[in-house]
């Protein structure tokens, strides 16, 4: 408002602005609502969305790509990844158990970057609540289940992203 | 003789129960409507889970309030604290005695109808002051002071505005005022007659009415951002529900009285929309028109609530004393002049 306006101008201006405000709310009433009906409808997650890291399996072999090298466990800032391995008859390291304490994960994604085979990938799984602290520690079976599958013809560069899409379907089907 | 007396008492009791049920029903769905409409205006959805479109949300909330612990704070005046919600609610209920819901659908067409309405509705503020005082809480007390100051500032222009349709109709009776707007066409409603004087009176009435029922631009007595919740800070459970009920019942009353005095009451806007019926059909159609018109005003109230900011206390008082009362006196004088000189066809 400029100075030196008369009282009548201000009174009229007040009523005009009140009417303008009413018009704004009335127009907004017909707009598309921003609220999402959450459990029924879901967000469209971007491909590089960071859910918890999981171990997708290869559809050809039915196994994950983990070498049990332990890079992820070493690089993890929270030190929440535990890997147990065993050495088979052919003298190769095989993964025995893979645990992630999700309750302390900060979704930085360093573990997936450190993974030499890109077998560990950030999924689209974000519903992590549970009733007990123990349930928050995800074991190998759970990580396989949440990870879903790699696409049939894996390309080394973008397996992570593709597996994410697979994950979403797997998670959706699970519900 | 004794039997007749008993029958009359029974009928009156039945009417009272029907009206109470009507208030409860209307208030429940006003609250639901408020939440939905405000949600829509804020680009949200609002309650839509419980029942079709969330219609059962408010009954569920009411049941929840019934189960809540009834907290009476330490240091509160127990007796006053308990009767305050009743003092607030009962007048809001009693107004419905003269509410003309439709042709013949009026509990008691008192010959002082309008006077009764304005007298009864101002009792509620005594309950609010009692509630603020008895809570032993500074926010409550400030809210109560504001309520008292607001009532004094707004009761006068409201009654001055109410006088205009009374002068035009020549009757204080609700039925008489509605009869004066008869004729079938909406042009017979007071709002479209008398050189715009009733229209001005209507604006003053609505502004004062909003202040009377603590509605948004004038809800300084429960201003959340300043006084937490004003006079009802300490109330919980069913007592709080009674305050809530009163607030919405009073808002409905304001709209219904505005419809009755300025918008032809239960008359249809066009003669072919049910003016020529008789008996039960006429009753039903007139009830429909009354409720439809009132619903429009209730919507406007919610619209205002979703839009306008709250005025400051000094702004409210200035507006009340320096603008509303002179304008009220002016329109009263104008209406009197116009009617006395016979410039309007009555």
């Amino acid at each position: 408002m400029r100075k030196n306006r008369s009282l009548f101008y201000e009174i009229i201006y007040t009523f005009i602005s009140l009417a303008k405000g009413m018009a704004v709310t009335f127009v907004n009433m017909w707009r598309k609502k921003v609220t999402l009906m959450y459990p029924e409808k879901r967000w469209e997650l971007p491909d590089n969305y960071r859910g918890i890291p999981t171990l997708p399996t290869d559809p050809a072999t039915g196994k994950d790509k983990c070498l049990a090298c332990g890079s992820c466990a070493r690089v993890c800032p929270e030190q929440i990844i535990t890997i147990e391995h065993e050495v088979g008859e052919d003298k190769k390291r095989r993964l025995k158990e893979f645990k992630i304490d999700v309750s302390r994960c900060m979704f930085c994604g360093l573990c997936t970057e450190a993974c030499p085979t890109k077998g560990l990938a950030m999924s689209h799984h974000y519903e992590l609540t549970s009733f007990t602290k123990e349930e928050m520690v995800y074991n190998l079976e759970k990580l396989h289940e949440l990870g879903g599958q790699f696409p049939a013809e894996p390309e080394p560069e973008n397996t992570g992203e593709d597996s994410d899409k697979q994950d979403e379907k797997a998670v959706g089907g699970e519900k | 003789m004794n039997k007749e007396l008993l029958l009359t008492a029974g009928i009156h009791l039945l009417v009272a129960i029907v009206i109470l049920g009507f208030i409860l029903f209307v208030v429940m769905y006003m609250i639901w409507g408020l939440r939905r409409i405000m949600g829509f205006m804020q680009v949200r959805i609002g309650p839509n889970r419980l029942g079709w479109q969330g219609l059962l949300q408010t009954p569920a909330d009411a049941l929840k309030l019934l189960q809540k612990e009834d907290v009476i704070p330490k240091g509160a005046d127990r007796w006053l604290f308990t009767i305050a919600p009743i003092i607030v609610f009962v007048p809001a209920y009693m107004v419905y005695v003269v509410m003309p819901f439709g042709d013949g659908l009026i509990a008691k067409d008192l010959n002082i109808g309008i006077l009764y309405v304005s007298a009864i509705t101002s009792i509620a503020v005594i309950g609010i002051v009692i509630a603020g005082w008895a809570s032993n809480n500074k926010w409550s007390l400030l809210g109560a002071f504001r309520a008292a100051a607001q009532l004094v500032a707004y009761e006068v222009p409201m009654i001055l505005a109410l006088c205009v349709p009374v002068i035009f109709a020549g009757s204080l009776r609700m039925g008489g005022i509605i009869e004066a707007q008869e004729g079938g066409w909406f042009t017979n409603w007071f709002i479209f007659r008398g050189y715009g004087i009733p229209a001005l009176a209507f604006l003053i009435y609505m502004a004062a009415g909003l202040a009377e029922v603590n509605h948004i631009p004038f809800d300084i007595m429960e201003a959340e951002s300043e006084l937490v919740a004003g006079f009802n800070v300490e109330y919980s459970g069913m007592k709080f529900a009674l305050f809530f009920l009163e607030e919405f019942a009073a808002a409905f009353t304001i709209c219904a009285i505005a419809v009755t005095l300025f918008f032809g009451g239960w008359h249809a806007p066009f003669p072919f929309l049910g003016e020529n019926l008789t008996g039960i059909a006429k009753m039903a159609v007139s009830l429909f028109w009354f409720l439809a018109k009132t619903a429009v005003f209730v919507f406007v109230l919610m619209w205002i609530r979703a839009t306008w900011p709250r005025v400051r206390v000094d702004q409210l008082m200035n507006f009340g004393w320096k603008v509303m009362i002179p304008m009220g006196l002016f329109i009263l004088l104008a209406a009197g002049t116009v009617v006395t000189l016979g410039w309007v066809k009555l």
Side-chain angles (χ1 to χ4, degrees):
Chain A
M1 290 279 288
R2 271 165 283 171
K3 285 178 194 170
N4 303 327
R5 288 293 187 185
S6 70
L7 179 66
F8 282 103
Y9 177 85
E10 293 215 359
I11 289 172
I12 291 165
Y13 186 80
T14 305
F15 279 99
I16 291 171
S17 60
L18 286 176
K20 273 183 187 167
M22 298 285 269
V24 167
T25 37
F26 193 76
V27 168
N28 274 305
M29 207 172 123
W30 308 105
R31 263 175 57 190
K32 193 176 177 295
K33 306 289 165 273
V34 293
T35 314
L36 193 77
M37 298 295 294
Y38 162 58
E40 290 90 22
K41 287 179 188 163
R42 301 199 171 233
W43 295 265
E44 271 188 28
L45 297 174
D47 283 345
N48 56 354
Y49 182 84
R50 289 183 183 182
I52 53 154
T54 53
L55 286 168
T57 50
D58 197 336
T61 58
K63 285 178 183 168
D64 58 64
K65 289 188 186 172
C66 185
L67 305 172
C69 66
S71 300
C72 47
R74 272 195 302 282
V75 82
C76 180
E78 298 281 346
Q79 309 208 329
I80 56 173
I81 301 179
T82 333
I83 297 177
E84 289 169 25
H85 63 86
E86 56 188 4
V87 181
E89 295 107 38
D90 50 353
K91 309 267 170 151
K92 275 186 179 174
R93 287 156 69 99
R94 259 205 307 271
L95 190 62
K96 194 172 149 203
E97 184 59 290
F98 195 110
K99 279 184 182 166
I100 298 179
D101 185 358
V102 177
S103 63
R104 283 162 60 209
C105 181
M106 63 181 189
F107 306 97
C108 60
L110 285 179
C111 48
T112 60
E113 279 171 35
C115 187
T117 58
K118 301 293 170 207
L120 192 64
M122 300 300 266
S123 68
H124 282 183
H125 185 70
Y126 49 81
E127 290 156 323
L128 305 171
T129 47
S130 72
F131 286 101
T132 61
K133 213 171 153 187
E134 287 69 39
E135 282 174 52
M136 299 292 279
V137 181
Y138 287 8
N139 59 14
L140 186 61
E141 202 179 321
K142 179 101 183 183
L143 291 173
H144 278 161
E145 186 192 322
L146 293 175
Q149 286 185 338
F150 283 112
E153 291 162 18
E155 292 165 50
E157 268 74 34
N158 54 8
T159 35
E161 283 169 26
D162 285 358
S163 69
D164 283 350
K165 279 177 193 166
Q166 293 281 327
D167 300 345
E168 199 182 17
K169 279 172 197 164
V171 172
E174 184 196 329
K175 285 286 162 330
Chain B
M1 173 63 201
N2 216 354
K3 227 176 205 173
E4 274 177 26
L5 198 70
L6 215 62
L7 195 69
T8 322
I11 288 171
H12 284 180
L13 196 66
L14 193 71
V15 170
I17 290 170
V18 167
I19 289 177
L20 186 63
F22 175 81
I23 293 175
L24 290 175
F25 183 80
V26 161
V27 167
M28 266 181 192
Y29 287 102
M30 271 172 79
I31 294 171
W32 171 81
L34 176 75
R35 293 177 66 185
R36 287 288 280 185
I37 288 169
M38 273 180 74
F40 271 60
M41 285 180 173
Q42 293 160 359
V43 204
R44 296 184 288 117
I45 293 175
N48 69 341
R49 296 273 180 173
L50 202 58
W52 184 77
Q53 293 290 312
L55 277 174
L56 296 177
Q57 185 65 51
T58 332
D61 285 345
L63 281 179
K64 183 203 72 181
L65 275 176
L66 273 170
Q67 299 171 9
K68 288 245 169 172
E69 188 190 352
D70 185 22
V71 182
I72 297 181
K74 197 178 171 187
D77 189 327
R78 289 186 75 90
W79 197 69
L80 287 180
F81 190 81
T82 311
I83 63 163
I86 301 166
I87 295 178
V88 169
F89 176 67
V90 168
Y93 175 38
M94 280 169 72
V95 172
Y96 284 76
V97 169
V98 294
M99 196 66 80
F101 290 108
D103 188 20
L105 289 174
I106 179 165
K108 196 82 188 171
D109 199 358
L110 296 176
N111 56 359
I112 51 158
I114 290 298
L115 187 65
Y116 174 82
V117 169
S118 53
I120 288 286
T121 49
S122 31
I123 293 176
V125 81
I126 294 172
I128 289 174
V129 171
I130 289 175
W133 170 257
S135 298
N136 192 28
N137 177 316
K138 50 184 173 297
W139 306 122
S140 306
L141 195 56
L142 276 172
F145 285 160
R146 287 180 173 195
Q150 190 172 320
L151 178 88
V152 177
Y154 280 84
E155 198 65 21
V156 180
M158 185 167 175
I159 291 170
L160 290 175
L162 287 180
C163 285
V164 171
V166 169
I167 289 172
F168 273 71
S171 170
L172 279 167
R173 215 158 46 84
M174 290 296 204
I177 291 168
I178 293 174
E179 274 161 30
Q181 305 178 62
E182 217 166 25
W185 291 92
F186 63 89
T187 46
N188 283 323
W189 300 352
F190 279 150
I191 191 95
F192 300 116
R193 283 161 64 184
Y195 312 109
I197 294 166
L200 201 57
F202 166 70
L203 289 179
I204 291 176
Y205 170 78
M206 276 316 268
L210 289 178
E212 172 111 2
V213 300
N214 327 333
H215 206 273
I216 256 297
F218 307 118
D219 68 335
I220 57 162
M221 66 179 85
E222 48 176 84
E224 297 91 354
S225 45
E226 310 158 31
L227 294 184
V228 193
F231 63 92
N232 59 24
V233 174
E234 298 287 358
Y235 281 88
S236 58
M238 213 46 219
K239 287 175 187 154
F240 174 75
L242 273 183
F243 279 125
F244 214 60
L245 193 62
E246 184 271 341
E247 191 185 324
F248 281 86
F252 184 82
T253 307
I254 290 293
C255 298
I257 299 291
V259 164
T260 307
L261 296 188
F262 300 101
F263 286 85
W266 39 258
H267 285 300
F270 300 103
F272 47 85
L273 290 173
E275 283 295 304
N276 307 321
L277 300 167
T278 46
I280 296 284
K282 169 96 180 172
M283 255 185 212
V285 170
S286 59
L287 178 66
F288 166 76
W289 281 114
F290 175 79
L291 291 179
K293 288 180 198 172
T294 312
V296 171
F297 282 95
V298 168
F299 172 75
V300 171
L301 242 61
M302 291 166 180
W303 188 3
I304 286 172
R305 195 162 172 150
T307 310
W308 292 350
R310 181 181 306 122
V311 298
R312 248 174 16 227
V313 183
D314 59 321
Q315 290 171 332
L316 179 88
M317 291 302 154
N318 275 345
F319 188 59
W321 289 107
K322 293 183 185 168
V323 180
M324 300 270 278
I325 291 181
M327 268 171 70
L329 288 169
F330 168 73
I331 52 161
L332 186 61
L333 186 70
T337 313
V338 163
V339 170
T340 316
L341 297 179
W343 290 353
V344 281
K345 205 170 90 221
L346 294 174

